Amino acid sequence: MDAATKTNRVMERKPKNIFVQGAIAPAFIADSIAKHSSKTTIGGHNIFLGQVRADLIDEKKVAAIEYTTYEELALEKMHVIRQEIFAKYELTCMHVHHSLGTVAAGEICLFVFTSSAHRRAAIDACNEAVERIKTELPVWGKELFEDASHQWKVNQ
Amino acid sequence: MITVLFFGKLAEIAGAKTELPHVASTDELLQQLRTSFPLLAAEKFIVAVDKKTITENTLLTDNCTVALLPPFSGG
């Protein structure tokens, strides 16, 4: 095996880090879109943005969500999800960013971005990625109320 | 030594991490943990041994890492 093949194999195996500390800034999302202007085989993008909702629970309002993860397992799992989605859909690229730590109500906590030559693949792949991220990644959200009490988030 | 990791709500009950010597299986481990942390009995979780989720009793070897994972709520 030559050096280049070895390097490629290592890169294939190494899971990308999807986690960012705190909220995902709108400027980061804009920049991420802009970076695709040189990839002219792309004909469609699909973006999902998860935003922290100020739910009212027993008359207490959610002020923020604090996210924690089992990072090693989550990154391995995301790597498998990524490979399976690329095998299933004709995608040009996919980018996933998930917050850790505290994200205030109204801020972005999940950014999934898929691109393909024709729109259908990007839309379907993005939907599937979001569903799988929510059900399969070991990430936990703690809903922090305005009065400093908390409860553990339950995904619907 | 077996390392046990707790996440989400379970970490509030048992702390983030504990180490236990000489535990033969996951059933034995869970029994010990429920004795030490009675509140765990009411909680739903799945178990991962060395990052592989398991569905039945699993033998443990020295230096194993066992993780207790409550229902996921990311995104």
Side-chain angles (χ1 to χ4, degrees):
Chain A
M1 196 188 304
D2 63 25
T5 311
K6 262 187 190 166
T7 309
N8 280 338
R9 288 221 170 167
V10 170
M11 283 176 71
E12 269 171 31
R13 277 200 209 121
K14 190 171 173 267
K16 283 188 183 178
N17 190 359
I18 61 164
F19 293 113
V20 292
Q21 204 60 41
I24 297 161
F28 175 83
I29 296 162
D31 191 47
S32 194
I33 297 167
K35 279 181 181 159
H36 289 75
S37 61
S38 59
K39 295 189 181 180
T40 49
T41 58
I42 293 173
H45 298 298
N46 201 78
I47 288 175
F48 175 82
L49 298 174
Q51 174 166 304
V52 173
R53 194 173 47 238
D55 272 345
L56 204 57
I57 300 161
D58 298 332
E59 295 182 9
K60 292 195 295 187
K61 201 192 255 183
V62 172
I65 294 181
E66 187 186 305
Y67 291 99
T68 51
T69 184
Y70 183 5
E71 185 161 335
E72 287 171 273
L73 182 57
L75 295 181
E76 278 186 14
K77 189 75 209 177
M78 189 63 232
H79 189 63
V80 171
I81 294 171
R82 173 184 296 279
Q83 284 183 322
E84 289 176 0
I85 285 181
F86 268 90
K88 186 168 171 184
Y89 300 100
E90 285 289 318
L91 281 189
T92 311
C93 53
M94 172 164 88
H95 306 278
V96 175
H97 302 274
H98 194 300
S99 293
L100 291 181
T102 305
V103 182
E107 291 186 317
I108 303 299
C109 55
L110 175 62
F111 171 29
V112 180
F113 184 3
T114 53
S115 310
S116 53
H118 302 281
R119 69 188 180 285
R120 185 49 61 191
I123 293 168
D124 293 347
C126 188
N127 286 341
E128 186 168 327
V130 171
E131 292 309 313
R132 293 192 65 180
I133 285 163
K134 284 189 164 261
T135 54
E136 296 177 38
L137 285 197
V139 175
W140 297 275
K142 187 163 88 170
E143 293 171 322
L144 308 174
F145 295 108
E146 285 172 336
D147 67 358
S149 60
H150 72 265
Q151 74 166 22
W152 290 90
K153 180 173 176 261
V154 179
N155 275 0
Q156 290 179 3
Chain B
M1 199 67 89
I2 308 292
T3 304
V4 188
L5 305 175
F6 302 91
F7 293 93
K9 191 182 179 188
L10 306 183
E12 286 186 338
I13 294 170
K17 185 177 172 179
T18 187
E19 287 187 332
L20 294 171
H22 314 302
V23 191
S25 68
T26 49
D27 278 0
E28 192 183 319
L29 176 78
L30 293 176
Q31 207 166 16
Q32 282 193 27
L33 291 174
R34 287 194 182 105
T35 307
S36 308
F37 309 104
L39 287 174
L40 281 182
E43 296 302 325
K44 260 178 73 175
F45 56 84
I46 56 170
V47 176
V49 177
D50 291 334
K51 294 187 281 176
K52 299 265 184 299
T53 53
I54 58 157
T55 51
E56 50 193 32
N57 189 30
T58 301
L59 294 180
L60 298 175
T61 53
D62 208 21
N63 297 321
C64 266
T65 298
V66 180
L68 273 60
L69 314 172
F72 306 152
S73 55

